[in-house]
Amino acid sequence: MTDTEAGRDADGMSGGTCVFCRIVEGTEPSQTIHEDDHTIAFLNLAQATKGHTLVVPRAHHRDLTDIPLDEAAHVMRTTVEVGRRLTGALGAKGVNLWHASGETAWQSVFHFHIHVVPRYTDTDLTPPWTEIEHPVESLRGLGAEIRRFRSAPRRLS
């Protein structure tokens, strides 16, 4: 279901409130599988595989460029815990983590979140890209360009 079909705008908002914030507040139903002072994890309504879970910070942060490092660390700690819980409880043989920041990267709800997707077979998901390996020396200029960049966090478009 798309945001539009669910009555949400481009930021995942409905009536001015983020759907993930409503889950955090307890005003939107969810199947919560983990919560602590900083994060909440709940089953995704669109199950890519059995147990597909979303981990979100309790505080609203739009994306990777908006979330403070300490909040991101809390989210990752919970992500590890949830991955372990999913593999143990459901017998998954592996886990994929997925995050998208910005509309161009397919972010659909603009509240930072990480997808934890249990894997049962090597064919239950399709890889989102094709890997083309480059000789390490051919990446020298790109590496230098990235190392030179220093900036305050900004929003992705």
Side-chain angles (χ1 to χ4, degrees), residues 35-90:
E35 54 186 316
D36 59 36
D37 291 343
H38 302 280
T39 62
I40 185 169
F42 49 89
L43 294 175
N44 190 342
L45 295 178
Q47 292 279 289
T49 66
K50 179 181 168 187
H52 179 175
T53 300
L54 301 176
V55 178
V56 305
R58 287 187 174 276
H60 183 90
H61 303 289
R62 179 180 169 88
D63 58 32
L64 189 62
T65 65
D66 188 43
I67 189 169
L69 291 176
D70 60 334
E71 286 291 312
H74 288 299
V75 171
M76 186 48 108
R77 190 171 294 113
T78 297
T79 299
V80 170
E81 166 71 25
V82 166
R84 289 175 179 169
R85 185 174 293 178
L86 292 172
T87 56
L90 302 178

Side-chain angles (χ1 to χ4, degrees), residues 83-157:
R84 289 175 179 169
R85 185 174 293 178
L86 292 172
T87 56
L90 302 178
K93 296 177 180 166
V95 173
N96 281 104
L97 303 181
W98 177 264
H99 170 75
S101 275
E103 192 172 341
T104 303
W106 306 320
Q107 185 176 4
S108 61
V109 176
F110 291 84
H111 181 125
F112 183 89
H113 59 287
I114 296 178
H115 295 254
V116 185
V117 184
R119 296 297 301 275
Y120 303 96
T121 70
D122 60 359
T123 59
D124 53 11
L125 287 179
T126 303
W129 57 79
T130 303
E131 293 184 2
I132 300 171
E133 192 168 320
H134 297 272
V136 70
E137 282 303 311
S138 72
L139 300 173
R140 182 183 298 202
L142 178 59
E145 180 181 355
I146 294 167
R147 284 188 295 274
R148 282 191 304 268
F149 185 81
R150 298 281 189 258
S151 177
R154 64 171 183 81
R155 292 194 191 271
L156 297 175
S157 43

